[in-house]
Amino acid sequence: MDFIPHTEEDKREMLEEIGVSSIDELFSDIPDEVQVQGDIIGKDGKTEQELKQDVNKLARENVKPGDRVSLIGAGLYHHFIPSVVSHVTGRSEFYTAYTPYQAEISQGTLGWMFEFQTAISELMGMEIANASMYDGGSSAAEAVLMAQEYLDRRPIVVADNINPYYRDVIDTYLPDPDDEIIELSSKNGRINRDHLEQIINDNDDLAGLVVQTPNYFGIVEDLAGLKEALDDAFLIVSANPISLGLLQPPGEFGADIVVGEGQPLGNSVYFGGPLLGLFATKSDYLRYLPGRVSGKTVDDEGREGFVMALQTREQHIRRERATSNICTNQALNALAATVYLSSLGPDGLTALARINWDRAQYLADKLCRIEGVDLTWDQPFFNEFVLTVDADPELIWEKMKEEGIDLLHPKHLKRLGLDENLMIAVTEKVDKEDMDRFAELLEEEM
Amino acid sequence: METIFDKSKSGRRSTYLNEDDLTSKKPSDELDGDLLRGEKPGLPEISQPELMRHFVELSKKNYGVDDGLYPLGSCTMKHNPKPNEDLAATEEFQDHHPLASPDLVQGNLRLMYELGELLKGVSGMDGITLQPSAGAHGELTGMLMIRKYHEVRDELERRTEILLPDSSHGTNPASAAVAGFDAVEIKSNDEGTVDIEGLKEATSEKTAGIMLTVPNTLGIFEKDILEVAEIVHDAGGLCYFDGANLNAFLGRVRPGDLGMDITHFNLHKTFSTPHGGGGPGAGPVGVKEKLLPYLPIPVVEKTGDGYSFDYDRPKSIGKVNSFPGAFGVLVKAYSYILSLGDEGLKRVSDNAVLNANYLKEKLKDPYKLDYEGVCKHEFVLNGSGMGEGIKTLDIAKRLLDYGYHPPTVYFPLIVKEALMIEPTETETKENLDEFTETMLKIAAEAMEDPELLHEAPTETPVGRLDETQAARNPVLRWTESE
Ligand SMILES: Cc1ncc(COP(=O)(O)O)c(C=O)c1O
């Protein structure tokens, strides 16, 4: 199957117009010795029906997700997605369009980008937001680069309880992570304030601090006083957007940059992508902002409209001096988030955050009543928490898998020095029966 | 224009959730008051029908490939096959967590593995990472691997420069810079390809590598590419091939056979996954054997027990994404390649090149062509001298009035008043003929009635927008007072 419309006659006429006798002639500029001989992938094409049969078969080599209960979070969360989301993102005027460089026929994209930027700023308690980055990890890395560039300083403090994958990405993005990163330890599940104070006292040239709330272990960090302690060094906060229906937004604590993974906002976990990097900051730093933004202006007759604003920061104008190399971003995922947040509204998001909080509390309480199971840290958490279990976590993981309950594999915690632990995420998709069953099964294992 | 915030009215809502009383604990019992949100977030409050109408109204102010010809050079705006959209939307693909046990997601892992194999075949490379999120992200990944390669050889300190032709895409120098290299520009010759003498002069013991786009952004095949590779390799540098333009020669030439060490793919161009109004894309990267150890982790591997993620790669550059890649996009690209097969892939490029050359022939007079000869998948017209005070921007805007998405304008920078046209293989001859007629009509208007162009567009929801105001006084979010 292909999607080429030409008849033999079309081709003949076109070749004639060009003045060549065959398509091969159009490739005569490529040296013979490097032209491919034979097949490159060794496959015949397929009709639509064959393709669907084959690819659906492949899909069925996965278990059916609807048949199982997933309690895995670790940065990506299974949330309920209302139908309006796919009905909007499925409009081909949106999904088959390119980046809105031609503003006059891209008011749709530019319009929702403006709405997205507004919704994300509101959520984060920040002045401005861009139209998206690749994912939560690259957003965090770009935030670090922005702080370093703005302040022209290198050392960056990174809390040891942020998502370890974000930390991995930051390490990859920084030219010299061993020299540039100062790791901030944690105490009883939250960042260690004494250690932070000491780091700040010992270093007068910090570019900033990266913290996450809820942190990787689900615990709500107390952001109060951090900005004051940091002075002009950047407070960079990574936040779960759903939690902000309940929690005070980082902007209220003086954050300079707020980043996060926007997948929970109306996007499937999709085996890890495409995701949605959120990036919000203060207006003062606008010229240092990475990525695209839509801005409001007027046309030649005074009508309001939107354009891609401040493109002089971007790679296609500024080239090697651009604020970032990002070009294609996560537009359709950002549209999904815009529709999702509009569909829930302030009351819906608040209710959703509360449901997540309630369920996690319910399950944690229930599990902690089991002998040999305890919360690892006695700290407030949002929709995810860590347990210490008096049994081999791998055996529990294995047993639950057989029972149709998926947990984060304990090796992901071992890497962080947590050897006898489980990390459990609960969203509105996990109902009471599933939680009760999980508790019963866990009790049997203890 | 009314935003969804203007339409908001307190008390309305589109989606309701099951609230339940599972716990008697309240957040305020557990959390310090300061940590609880004081004011609810200022999100829109709107009913479901009004929400749909709002976004449908917005969508009507947009233009996608499904609306018509989209000859946006360098962007490969071809048809996005619908079966691929449906396949990617199946629950089994959408709803698995990347940290789920590998034995539960063998289908996903097999798809990733097989896509990697297919891309190896397409590119002639020895290993693939599917992790990067877009072309520019792939470039950065490639640059970081070049860094690592030189670091391992203890040569990073002196190898600080990446060479780039002046026709290169903006992301190329930007990616080199993010990876910590200095971008060094090399001039193109009269034929629009790399000037070999200039390259020789620019190459030194400081050279970390070169980034080449082939066909280059003029749509011209880099005929001396083998010599370019030799010069750079002799100097100890590596060759990076920007594969965003692979639509030009699938099944005809492969970067891996051209002496190239690294290449990225834009699945959201060559392999027809939709652009989504700016993303999401996917920018897998292929490398030659000597760079395999540096690929980002994890890599999908096939063992006796099936497929799994391999994290145990001590020399890897690390991760460029938190999770292993834009899986949803990968499903579409995989489906596309399988539906075409070898013959289909070759037909893609054959017809993309046929369409481009046909359109070039039709438009090169009265528009001007700075570089003669056959082009590949795209070509660049010089839009200068078309009429009194007429700029390329005017031509582009007039095209909007005739219902077309304009070509890429003012890029590449080495052509005056550039109009970069990529028709793609999915356009009919009739579409190209009609577009030609329109372009010729606009050329005539430019001579006879230039005001028509200066005032264009008049048929669009808004006219030309004031970008200076948007830059000087940036309004980037809705506020109540408006
Ligand atoms: C030649 C070339 N290289 C790189 C890119 C960057 O790709 P992306 O937008 O996916 O980051 C593009 C796309 O605009 C391109 O045309």
Side-chain angles (χ1 to χ4, degrees):
Chain A
M1 160 167 71
D2 65 33
F3 310 92
I4 297 158
H6 295 328
T7 64
E8 287 308 314
E9 192 187 327
D10 290 337
K11 283 192 218 167
R12 212 172 34 245
E13 284 173 19
M14 293 169 82
L15 288 170
E16 205 169 298
E17 175 78 32
I18 300 168
V20 293
S21 58
S22 71
I23 289 183
D24 284 343
E25 253 181 78
L26 297 174
F27 290 90
S28 55
D29 51 345
I30 301 177
D32 280 344
E33 70 267 27
V34 295
Q35 293 222 17
V36 171
Q37 309 297 330
D39 288 348
I40 53 171
I41 58 172
K43 303 263 184 214
D44 293 329
K46 292 181 198 295
T47 63
E48 176 171 349
Q49 195 182 353
E50 282 169 328
L51 175 75
K52 285 184 171 165
Q53 272 162 3
D54 290 359
V55 178
N56 279 323
K57 190 164 148 252
L58 186 62
R60 287 194 302 272
E61 288 175 20
N62 297 326
V63 296
K64 205 171 165 53
D67 292 346
R68 304 180 65 83
V69 177
S70 173
L71 300 175
I72 308 178
L76 304 183
Y77 299 89
H78 297 274
H79 286 287
F80 170 76
I81 303 176
S83 289
V84 285
V85 172
S86 63
H87 282 268
V88 172
T89 56
R91 299 274 309 178
S92 77
E93 297 88 340
F94 285 135
Y95 82 78
T96 73
Y98 199 71
T99 303
Y101 288 122
Q102 293 291 334
E104 296 88 342
I105 50 166
S106 307
Q107 288 299 298
T109 299
L110 289 160
W112 72 247
M113 279 164 66
F114 187 78
E115 292 169 354
F116 172 80
Q117 292 161 202
T118 307
I120 297 305
S121 320
E122 280 292 331
L123 207 52
M124 307 291 202
M126 300 299 284
E127 289 167 340
I128 51 166
N130 75 7
S132 74
M133 307 296 287
Y134 300 135
D135 74 340
S138 68
S139 285
E142 292 260 15
V144 170
L145 297 181
M146 179 173 139
Q148 291 181 325
E149 181 70 26
Y150 185 84
L151 295 169
D152 196 14
R153 302 177 194 159
R154 304 309 296 176
I156 185 95
V157 186
V158 181
D160 71 352
N161 61 14
I162 71 164
N163 190 317
Y165 308 123
Y166 298 0
R167 172 62 194 272
D168 291 340
V169 179
I170 295 172
D171 283 355
T172 308
Y173 268 64
L174 291 184
D176 208 346
D178 294 340
D179 262 10
E180 294 170 72
I181 295 179
I182 304 171
E183 190 167 282
L184 169 61
S185 60
S186 28
K187 197 164 115 190
N188 194 20
R190 278 182 167 174
I191 54 168
N192 181 339
R193 295 283 185 141
D194 297 333
H195 188 199
L196 179 63
E197 198 180 301
Q198 185 200 329
I199 294 172
I200 291 173
N201 286 338
D202 293 350
N203 296 274
D204 54 8
D205 61 343
L206 292 179
L209 162 69
V210 185
V211 291
Q212 182 178 320
T213 185
N215 65 32
Y216 183 62
F217 307 113
I219 293 170
V220 179
E221 285 285 352
D222 184 355
L223 303 178
L226 289 180
K227 180 60 195 171
E228 290 73 10
L230 285 165
D231 197 17
D232 67 340
F234 275 29
L235 172 58
I236 300 169
V237 181
S238 173
N240 173 345
I242 302 282
S243 75
L244 298 178
L246 182 67
L247 303 178
Q248 187 72 304
E252 295 293 318
F253 297 101
D256 295 283
I257 305 177
V258 185
V259 295
E261 176 50 64
Q263 171 273 325
L265 304 173
N267 288 282
S268 309
V269 289
Y270 238 141
F271 205 49
L275 300 176
L276 172 62
L278 306 176
F279 198 106
T281 187
K282 297 177 174 172
S283 307
D284 283 352
Y285 309 143
L286 191 53
R287 314 268 152 190
Y288 289 79
L289 181 73
R292 297 168 175 158
V293 280
S294 167
K296 189 158 140 181
T297 182
V298 289
D299 74 359
D300 39 12
E301 290 179 20
R303 287 174 296 194
E304 283 184 347
F306 302 99
V307 291
M308 295 247 285
L310 302 157
Q311 292 188 51
T312 47
R313 297 166 299 117
E314 290 192 67
Q315 45 73 29
H316 60 284
I317 312 261
R318 184 69 56 92
R319 297 175 74 83
E320 65 272 17
R321 287 186 311 281
T323 56
S324 165
N325 67 329
I326 192 170
C327 178
T328 289
N329 61 11
Q330 303 295 106
L332 207 65
N333 304 91
L335 172 59
T338 311
V339 178
Y340 180 83
L341 288 170
S342 305
S343 180
L344 286 176
D347 294 336
L349 189 74
T350 307
L352 177 68
R354 183 63 195 271
I355 296 166
N356 276 254
W357 191 87
D358 280 357
R359 293 201 178 184
Q361 296 297 322
Y362 172 79
L363 182 59
D365 283 348
K366 194 153 182 122
L367 298 176
C368 289
R369 268 180 245 129
I370 302 170
E371 176 89 27
V373 179
D374 267 311
L375 277 177
T376 304
W377 301 289
D378 181 21
Q379 296 283 11
F381 52 90
F382 176 59
N383 66 355
E384 196 161 16
F385 53 87
V386 179
L387 296 172
T388 306
V389 288
D390 196 6
D392 183 348
E394 286 207 28
L395 289 178
I396 299 175
W397 177 86
E398 190 68 49
K399 164 80 179 170
M400 294 301 164
K401 194 176 84 163
E402 281 163 26
E403 297 286 347
I405 298 176
D406 295 326
L407 303 179
L408 182 71
H409 196 283
K411 71 178 177 208
H412 298 290
L413 297 170
K414 257 201 184 115
R415 169 188 173 197
L416 305 169
L418 297 169
D419 293 337
E420 38 186 36
N421 306 75
L422 292 172
M423 187 157 92
I424 312 289
V426 189
T427 69
E428 75 285 357
K429 293 251 281 197
V430 185
D431 56 29
K432 182 168 176 299
E433 288 90 281
D434 295 331
M435 292 193 279
D436 291 348
R437 195 164 70 88
F438 173 54
E440 266 165 47
L441 290 165
L442 186 61
E443 187 153 22
E444 283 169 24
E445 289 307 296
M446 298 307 299
Chain B
M1 197 163 89
E2 280 207 323
T3 67
I4 198 160
F5 292 90
D6 296 299
K7 297 173 183 172
S8 171
K9 189 164 182 179
S10 180
R12 291 198 176 132
R13 203 152 135 191
S14 160
T15 297
Y16 293 85
L17 302 155
N18 300 329
E19 298 181 41
D20 41 24
D21 266 326
L22 281 180
T23 176
S24 55
K25 275 191 192 167
K26 289 200 290 297
S28 54
D29 301 338
E30 305 292 312
L31 284 169
D32 210 343
D34 295 351
L35 297 182
L36 287 171
R37 187 152 196 142
E39 262 176 65
K40 286 182 184 170
L43 299 171
E45 299 183 70
I46 190 158
S47 68
Q48 190 166 111
E50 294 307 314
L51 179 147
M52 279 313 297
R53 284 179 183 159
H54 173 72
F55 286 106
V56 169
E57 183 194 336
L58 277 181
S59 76
K60 289 179 182 166
K61 294 181 180 162
N62 245 21
Y63 183 101
V65 173
D66 284 357
D67 292 293
L69 185 72
Y70 216 124
L72 197 61
S74 205
C75 300
T76 315
M77 294 301 283
K78 56 171 156 182
H79 176 61
N80 307 127
K82 303 306 160 189
N84 306 347
E85 295 298 307
D86 290 346
L87 285 168
T90 59
E91 180 202 9
E92 284 86 349
F93 285 139
Q94 283 215 359
D95 287 344
H96 278 295
H97 198 290
L99 298 173
S101 179
D103 58 324
L104 306 177
V105 289
Q106 284 295 298
N108 286 353
L109 289 166
R110 176 153 82 86
L111 188 146
M112 292 176 83
Y113 180 83
E114 287 181 0
L115 178 59
E117 294 299 302
L118 292 169
L119 293 177
K120 279 196 220 166
V122 166
S123 61
M125 290 290 169
D126 300 322
I128 298 281
T129 173
L130 301 171
Q131 195 172 126
S133 297
H137 209 204
E139 293 168 17
L140 175 60
T141 306
M143 289 298 113
L144 292 171
M145 284 192 271
I146 293 182
R147 250 188 105 84
K148 192 82 181 188
Y149 175 88
H150 293 310
E151 192 183 302
V152 168
R153 277 158 192 74
D154 263 333
E155 292 185 0
L156 184 60
E157 219 144 287
R158 71 175 163 92
R159 294 198 183 271
T160 54
E161 295 180 350
I162 293 287
L163 310 176
L164 299 124
D166 52 7
S167 60
S168 70
H169 193 263
T171 50
N172 289 187
S175 299
V178 174
F181 290 118
D182 300 327
V184 176
E185 189 170 283
I186 43 178
K187 297 262 172 270
S188 302
N189 59 24
D190 296 345
E191 293 166 11
T193 53
V194 172
D195 177 46
I196 292 292
E197 286 316 309
L199 173 67
K200 282 183 184 156
E201 264 165 48
T203 311
S204 70
E205 75 289 341
K206 288 194 201 158
T207 303
I210 188 169
M211 279 181 109
L212 277 181
T213 305
V214 187
N216 64 20
T217 57
L218 294 164
I220 299 173
F221 186 79
E222 209 50 70
K223 60 177 177 20
D224 300 322
I225 185 160
L226 295 173
E227 197 179 346
V228 170
E230 201 178 308
I231 293 168
V232 174
H233 283 152
D234 283 350
L238 294 175
C239 297
Y240 184 96
F241 183 106
D242 178 334
N245 289 345
L246 274 183
N247 213 45
F249 43 56
L250 293 168
R252 291 237 176 217
V253 235
R254 312 188 302 170
D257 300 335
L258 294 171
M260 300 290 114
D261 303 300
I262 314 179
T263 187
H264 81 259
F265 307 81
N266 277 49
L267 299 188
H268 47 302
K269 296 183 197 283
T270 314
F271 300 105
S272 86
T273 75
H275 283 68
V285 174
V287 295
K288 277 296 174 74
E289 194 166 1
K290 60 181 173 227
L291 294 160
L292 285 176
Y294 314 130
L295 283 172
I297 45 169
V299 171
V300 188
E301 61 169 11
K302 183 181 178 179
T303 64
D305 306 331
Y307 302 87
S308 57
F309 286 126
D310 177 14
Y311 283 91
D312 187 19
R313 304 175 64 85
K315 287 193 186 150
S316 162
I317 59 162
K319 283 187 178 179
V320 292
N321 256 342
S322 331
F323 293 97
F327 182 74
V329 177
L330 305 181
V331 175
K332 298 176 195 182
Y334 174 79
S335 302
Y336 181 71
I337 297 174
L338 285 192
S339 45
L340 293 172
D342 278 285
E343 285 182 17
L345 286 175
K346 192 153 172 244
R347 270 201 302 272
V348 161
S349 295
D350 282 7
N351 289 284
V353 171
L354 176 66
N355 278 0
N357 279 282
Y358 177 69
L359 201 53
K360 173 168 75 83
E361 223 37 59
K362 301 276 259 188
L363 293 177
K364 70 177 190 192
D365 180 34
Y367 295 90
K368 286 185 292 294
L369 197 61
D370 287 3
Y371 301 95
E372 288 285 341
V374 289
C375 65
K376 295 276 85 61
H377 64 304
E378 67 192 1
F379 58 98
V380 181
L381 296 173
N382 173 330
S384 67
M386 296 304 292
E388 190 64 31
I390 295 292
K391 293 195 149 52
T392 274
L393 191 69
D394 303 314
I395 298 167
K397 297 303 179 195
R398 186 65 180 147
L399 271 169
L400 296 173
D401 277 338
Y402 287 105
Y404 284 108
H405 194 289
T408 296
V409 291
Y410 299 108
F411 180 77
L413 308 172
I414 55 174
V415 174
K416 263 206 272 175
E417 298 290 321
L419 281 155
M420 185 191 207
I421 303 181
E422 179 177 13
T424 83
E425 72 282 3
T426 57
E427 295 302 331
T428 62
K429 176 170 176 294
E430 291 85 334
N431 291 345
L432 303 182
D433 290 342
E434 272 169 43
F435 180 70
T436 303
E437 266 172 45
T438 305
M439 285 293 283
L440 298 183
K441 200 159 155 193
I442 292 173
E445 286 174 354
M447 286 299 179
E448 289 150 20
D449 197 355
E451 273 314 291
L452 277 178
L453 276 71
H454 289 308
E455 280 162 17
T458 56
E459 305 293 316
T460 44
V462 288
R464 285 192 206 189
L465 291 153
D466 188 346
E467 298 200 14
T468 317
Q469 175 179 329
R472 235 181 248 151
N473 175 27
V475 181
L476 306 180
R477 54 165 293 178
W478 181 87
T479 44
E480 191 103 47
S481 58
E482 296 193 35

